[in-house]
Amino acid sequence: MAGYDKTFGSIKDYAVSDDKIWSLFNYVFSDSSKKRNTYKFGLIKSLLDNAFNGKKTEKGVYYTYEEIFSKFAENYWNLVVKYDLRQMRPDGKSKYSRIESIFIKAVTDNTIISVLEFQSLDIDLKKSLIKQVSKECRKYVIGALYEDFDGLIYDFDLADDGLTLNPVFSDFMLKYKSELERLNYYSWAKFLEQVNDENVLIKVLEKLELATPKREDLSIYRELLRREFEENTCFYCGKKLNDKAHVDHFIPWSFVKDDKIWNFVLACPSCNSKKNNKIPKREYIVKIERRNNCIKTSHDIIIETEMSEYSDDVIERMWKYAMLSGYKEYQ
């Protein structure tokens, strides 16, 4: 049975060495792994983007298909609609993959949305697109990637609501997150160069990195932190904040690729500018963990939703893996 035909699969070994995992990733990134489209790269990126969102279970780290393919849909929306990058080798029947066709139809039906970011789409349309993308990818890529990784990467059943990542793979992907992102982008870019015209390939690596856009408007988080928890002083220097307070990603967005209230603090413009893309000193971890324990008591629906998958050790793990990935400390 071909990998894409698989409807379920169990983790075949929980004791896998780093060398073995590297060899499997290198195989997937190589031309040896058959790829008619870029779905495998997209799934790897979605797993990396969701690296800190999974729930720990006895079997490993559980991710819902909705979590995975929400990121997948957002990434492809920008690559297909915003950057006009083809994602499939021509097969004589169609020049577009099924996911490209889903987005092209949505834009054809309503041309105004072609200039919108995925997160700005009407909520019902967004849910519909995610549902269609999830159906396509569950059918054609979950089993295919499982097979490429020799049945070691995750446990899945397409009849269920999600998959469980092998815990050794989860640790590996966190430890080497930045390196895997770069290798995935590079391999994805090589594929795109084979199926796209030169005029859309300008800065293709940058386009892949920006496929998951950084959210520009974080004002809702600033108001939540001030209203709910009276955060009126800079998290780093302690100075009183005014209306120009910045919402800062405690662990840089470039590493996390996600916006969660438990990773946000309020900072004065000066500290936020100096911190930039660095991680705070380790001593600040205790401070933000204490704040997050307070946040967990809130009954605000936004906070409850974003704290549902928060674990007490997530900030420390993020800090450690960001340090291993080469992020400097903010002095």
Side-chain angles (χ1 to χ4, degrees):
M1 179 185 292
Y4 64 82
D5 284 332
K6 288 184 176 294
T7 58
F8 64 90
S10 299
I11 296 171
K12 295 180 179 179
D13 188 358
Y14 285 88
V16 190
S17 68
D18 278 11
D19 286 347
K20 175 64 175 177
I21 298 176
W22 269 123
S23 72
L24 291 169
F25 269 107
N26 286 330
Y27 169 75
V28 175
F29 293 145
S30 74
D31 294 333
S32 299
S33 170
K34 294 181 180 179
K35 302 178 190 72
R36 182 167 166 257
N37 52 50
T38 62
Y39 290 0
K40 291 177 183 177
F41 301 130
L43 180 53
I44 289 172
K45 176 170 171 54
S46 295
L47 288 170
L48 289 168
D49 287 351
N50 275 295
F52 296 100
N53 291 336
K55 291 184 178 179
K56 290 183 179 179
T57 69
E58 292 181 357
K59 287 186 176 181
V61 184
Y62 178 78
Y63 298 89
T64 66
Y65 291 129
E66 183 178 0
E67 286 173 329
I68 294 170
F69 294 117
S70 291
K71 289 285 190 182
F72 196 103
E74 181 175 21
N75 292 333
Y76 272 79
W77 175 265
N78 287 303
L79 294 174
V80 173
V81 177
K82 187 175 180 179
Y83 299 130
D84 194 27
L85 284 164
R86 301 266 178 85
Q87 302 293 320
M88 186 184 79
R89 299 184 193 279
D91 61 357
K93 298 177 182 178
S94 173
K95 61 182 180 181
Y96 299 115
S97 67
R98 173 64 183 146
I99 290 177
E100 289 172 88
S101 298
I102 290 169
F103 291 151
I104 290 169
K105 182 181 184 306
V107 171
T108 303
D109 291 344
N110 183 0
T111 56
I112 294 175
I113 66 174
S114 64
V115 298
L116 298 179
E117 296 286 355
F118 188 77
Q119 292 299 332
S120 299
L121 297 178
D122 174 81
I123 189 166
D124 290 333
L125 173 60
K126 192 160 53 177
K127 285 181 178 179
S128 173
L129 293 174
I130 292 170
K131 184 177 180 180
Q132 293 177 69
V133 167
S134 179
K135 181 180 178 181
E136 173 74 6
C137 290
R138 287 164 74 168
K139 184 176 180 180
Y140 290 111
V141 73
I142 294 289
L145 195 67
Y146 171 87
E147 190 74 8
D148 275 1
F149 277 96
D150 294 345
L152 299 172
I153 187 168
Y154 46 62
D155 178 296
F156 78 99
D157 187 331
L158 297 185
D160 293 337
D161 294 326
L163 57 81
T164 301
L165 195 64
N166 189 331
V168 295
F169 270 80
S170 177
D171 288 342
F172 182 92
M173 292 173 76
L174 289 170
K175 190 192 315 183
Y176 300 110
K177 188 172 185 290
S178 296
E179 290 88 340
L180 289 170
E181 284 176 339
R182 285 193 290 268
L183 287 169
N184 196 44
Y185 290 150
Y186 175 74
S187 302
W188 199 337
K190 280 181 61 181
F191 185 99
L192 294 177
E193 288 174 350
Q194 298 171 26
V195 300
N196 284 276
D197 296 330
E198 288 186 5
N199 63 310
V200 297
L201 291 170
I202 298 170
K203 296 185 177 180
V204 66
L205 282 171
E206 182 177 319
K207 290 174 179 177
L208 286 168
E209 188 168 1
L210 294 175
T212 304
K214 185 176 181 179
R215 194 178 301 176
E216 295 296 330
D217 185 8
L218 299 176
S219 58
I220 185 173
Y221 294 101
R222 178 170 57 242
E223 296 312 310
L224 278 171
L225 290 172
R226 279 186 155 171
R227 186 184 74 236
E228 293 280 330
F229 309 105
E230 299 182 354
E231 293 196 10
N232 295 311
T233 58
C234 174
F235 183 84
Y236 301 108
C237 72
K239 291 181 180 176
K240 189 172 180 60
L241 295 171
N242 55 31
D243 291 340
K244 295 182 180 179
H246 288 191
V247 180
D248 176 60
H249 290 79
F250 184 80
I251 304 297
W253 181 91
S254 60
F255 181 72
V256 182
K257 297 291 197 312
D258 209 349
D259 295 312
K260 298 292 185 184
I261 195 165
W262 44 261
N263 190 42
F264 283 135
V265 296
L266 297 186
C268 66
S270 177
C271 283
N272 192 45
S273 176
K274 291 176 183 176
K275 178 175 175 285
N276 195 11
N277 204 37
K278 300 182 179 71
I279 55 176
K281 290 183 178 180
R282 190 162 196 152
E283 64 199 59
Y284 286 104
I285 294 176
V286 174
K287 183 176 180 180
I288 193 172
E289 286 178 341
R290 189 183 305 122
R291 193 284 309 272
N292 285 341
N293 284 330
C294 178
I295 282 182
K296 285 193 295 187
T297 65
S298 172
H299 296 296
D300 183 283
I301 187 63
I302 295 176
I303 297 174
E304 285 185 335
T305 301
E306 296 203 0
M307 295 298 291
S308 62
E309 293 169 355
Y310 173 79
S311 59
D312 292 337
D313 66 341
V314 66
I315 292 289
E316 182 145 12
R317 288 191 298 121
M318 288 166 66
W319 190 94
K320 180 181 73 174
Y321 290 123
M323 177 69 79
L324 288 171
S325 292
Y327 282 78
K328 300 289 187 180
E329 281 189 74
Y330 164 55
Q331 302 297 323

